[in-house]
Amino acid sequence: MKKTLAILLVLSIIVFLGYGCDTGSSSSTSSSSTSSTSSSGGCDTGSSSSSSTSSTSSTSSTSSTSSTSSTSSTSSSSGSVSDGDIVLSPGGNLQNAINTIAAGKTIWLNGGTYNMSATITIAESNSGTSSARKSIKAMGNGMPVLDWNSTSDNSSGRGIILDGSYWHIYGITIREAGDNGMLLSGDNNIIERCVFTANRDTGLQLSRYNGNYNSISQWPSNNLILQCESFDNMDSNGENADGFAAKLTCGEGNVFRGCYSHNNVDDGWDLWTNSGTPIGKVTIEYCISYMNGTLTNGTVMTNGDRNGFKLGGADVSVNHTVRYCIAANNGACGFTWNSNPGSIKVTNNTAYGNKKSNFYFAGGSSTFLNNISLSGSSDDKIAGSSLNANYNAWWTSGKAVSGNGVTVTSADFQSLSKGTLTWVSNTSVNLGTLLIPVSGSDLIGTGSGGVNMGAR
């Protein structure tokens, strides 16, 4: 029942009840916002985007109660306090700590709610090094929540702008910012085990901050987003707030690994590209996109695109990679090319119960291997190369059968329902027995190279 590619204690992903279709992106990369939308048939739709202009750094106005520790006596699941570190409790001045922390040192946040009143900015000049990162981490088992308490959209109201490089942010919840929870515009950063929720635009977005940066080499590159969760993000128009996005102006080498995006008003992942400005290749692996288009309280706003993984836009070729991912019960397509004519590598993914097509690739030269599609509301649409038709089971005419005769049914899986979210390794999300093949299933070992078909 395991994939010979050990491939993770892998994503046990999320339950399904699906939707599906290709759409453009709604994005915000700066303080001023210009909306332009267009739509077409199939699953493709236009993008609502905001142009990028740099804004001045604003500091948090919470009162300062920070203290520096000169001992290593306090331990944490993510390290120990050492000389030169800074420890904050709710009410502490996080912006001041960020401005003064030295390379190789950590800002520790005790558990509790930090009531924020301004954007936290980590300037481009405020960076660590490859051997001495600057860090912001939760202390011990505490749950620090940075809460901006925004009840309306505010294009200049992002939670955190991370424009510096070589930072590691671990175990923080970012909620109710007036725009993005985090704009990640620097390079070589690690965002790990963070939660982005109830923000008024995309939870975490990779795009430029400096509006004068017009070259892909100046855009955010080589960032790792690891085991993060993003949910219930919603803008007032119900069409811009994705779980995660790398769009408009992001560079090469960005990776999402083991992340969980669910119940956002727009897409789970959005990789929209504007005409004339292709973004860098993005890798999404071991991730789950579930029930996007419907908030956890049941709210549905039909203006959003509501795809699981939206992989392009504006007929611009970018060769992304999506592997070992699950898309379930999203309000439109599970996985969609969204008018990206490039060669997207789509390998060992599972889509279930999405409201349109589970897989919608109406054009382009993408490659497909070991993918499973079950119970889509519409037939899959596949253009490109299947590498070997024997090793993909597409949903067509009410059934899923691979070229070598492997039939996929609900009986092949231990469960089609999610369990309780846990993090089980450096790469994977566990939601119970969801989509794990049962003993004796013909999905086991019948993929190319003898691995299992699908994400698990």
Side-chain angles (χ1 to χ4, degrees):
M1 227 178 279
K2 309 174 132 179
K3 288 189 168 253
T4 72
L5 284 185
I7 200 142
L8 306 104
L9 313 127
V10 149
L11 303 164
S12 311
I13 294 169
I14 142 180
V15 356
F16 310 3
L17 242 80
Y19 312 5
C21 161
D22 264 9
T23 52
S25 153
S26 35
S27 89
S28 98
T29 30
S30 108
S31 50
S32 73
S33 167
T34 330
S35 173
S36 82
T37 57
S38 63
S39 63
S40 58
C43 272
D44 299 336
T45 61
S47 163
S48 170
S49 68
S50 59
S51 60
S52 174
T53 59
S54 84
S55 59
T56 58
S57 169
S58 56
T59 61
S60 168
S61 64
T62 53
S63 60
S64 173
T65 59
S66 66
S67 60
T68 19
S69 170
S70 59
T71 69
S72 300
S73 60
T74 305
S75 64
S76 164
S77 58
S78 53
S80 299
V81 176
S82 61
D83 187 39
D85 288 356
I86 297 173
V87 180
L88 294 180
S89 294
N93 193 324
L94 178 56
Q95 184 69 65
N96 183 65
I98 287 169
N99 293 345
T100 57
I101 194 73
K105 300 304 178 180
T106 297
I107 300 167
W108 296 98
L109 299 184
N110 284 309
T113 298
Y114 295 69
N115 291 309
M116 315 302 294
S117 59
T119 298
I120 293 293
T121 301
I122 302 176
E124 182 179 7
S125 59
N126 187 357
S127 297
T129 68
S130 58
S131 59
R133 291 183 181 274
K134 296 185 177 186
S135 300
I136 304 172
K137 296 182 178 181
M139 174 71 79
N141 295 320
M143 298 178 66
V145 178
L146 307 185
D147 195 338
W148 279 263
N149 297 291
S150 295
T151 57
S152 61
D153 300 5
N154 175 5
S155 60
S156 60
R158 294 187 177 103
I160 295 177
I161 297 171
L162 175 44
D163 205 33
S165 299
Y166 293 107
W167 281 79
H168 184 190
I169 300 182
Y170 180 97
I172 311 300
T173 293
I174 297 170
R175 62 173 288 122
E176 293 189 347
D179 197 84
N180 302 131
M182 176 183 289
L183 177 69
L184 177 51
S185 51
D187 304 327
N188 300 295
N189 297 292
I190 300 171
I191 312 300
E192 183 177 2
R193 301 265 181 120
C194 291
V195 177
F196 305 88
T197 182
N199 299 292
R200 305 297 296 184
D201 206 317
T202 296
L204 179 147
Q205 179 171 324
L206 286 100
S207 293
R208 69 181 177 186
Y209 175 55
N210 188 329
N212 294 317
Y213 285 175
N214 296 315
S215 167
I216 192 170
S217 64
Q218 298 172 303
W219 299 344
S221 301
N222 301 314
N223 295 290
L224 172 63
I225 298 87
L226 178 62
Q227 291 188 318
C228 290
E229 180 182 9
S230 190
F231 69 99
D232 275 346
N233 297 292
M234 183 187 76
D235 60 294
S236 58
N237 292 325
E239 60 179 348
N240 290 339
D242 308 302
F244 298 101
K247 59 187 179 184
L248 295 170
T249 51
C250 68
E252 297 286 356
N254 295 300
V255 176
F256 293 88
R257 180 178 299 144
C259 294
Y260 179 28
S261 180
H262 63 102
N263 299 102
N264 297 287
V265 77
D266 198 18
D267 303 305
W269 267 264
D270 187 352
L271 307 186
W272 175 266
T273 296
N274 276 337
S275 178
T277 55
I279 64 173
K281 297 181 288 293
V282 175
T283 296
I284 305 174
E285 55 189 11
Y286 315 123
C287 291
I288 302 165
S289 189
Y290 172 69
M291 212 165 181
N292 290 289
T294 302
L295 302 183
T296 57
N297 66 5
T299 297
V300 176
M301 298 181 72
T302 58
N303 289 341
D305 298 333
R306 302 182 292 161
N307 298 294
F309 296 89
K310 186 167 68 182
L311 304 175
D315 296 311
V316 179
S317 295
V318 186
N319 301 331
H320 301 303
T321 296
V322 183
R323 58 194 177 201
Y324 293 96
C325 292
I326 293 174
N329 295 350
N330 295 289
C333 293
F335 298 87
T336 173
W337 74 314
N338 205 54
S339 301
N340 177 354
S343 181
I344 306 169
K345 294 180 176 63
V346 185
T347 306
N348 279 95
N349 301 291
T350 299
Y352 173 81
N354 296 286
K355 285 299 185 185
K356 291 188 179 177
S357 299
N358 284 329
F359 291 85
Y360 190 89
F361 291 77
S365 56
S366 296
T367 57
F368 305 90
L369 188 65
N370 294 340
N371 299 289
I372 291 174
S373 178
L374 182 64
S375 300
S377 296
S378 300
D379 287 357
D380 292 331
K381 180 79 171 178
I382 303 297
S385 170
S386 288
L387 295 183
N388 187 325
N390 288 340
Y391 300 121
N392 293 285
W394 306 121
W395 184 255
T396 305
S397 301
K399 60 183 178 181
V401 183
S402 69
N404 61 354
V406 174
T407 299
V408 182
T409 70
S410 58
D412 282 301
F413 302 103
Q414 294 183 35
S415 175
L416 297 177
S417 299
K418 68 181 180 67
T420 301
L421 172 68
T422 56
W423 305 107
V424 293
S425 76
N426 280 353
T427 58
S428 62
V429 180
N430 188 338
L431 287 172
T433 57
L434 179 67
L435 294 175
I436 294 178
V438 298
S439 177
S441 168
D442 54 7
L443 302 179
I444 298 173
T446 55
S448 176
V451 303
N452 291 2
M453 293 179 66
R456 303 196 72 189

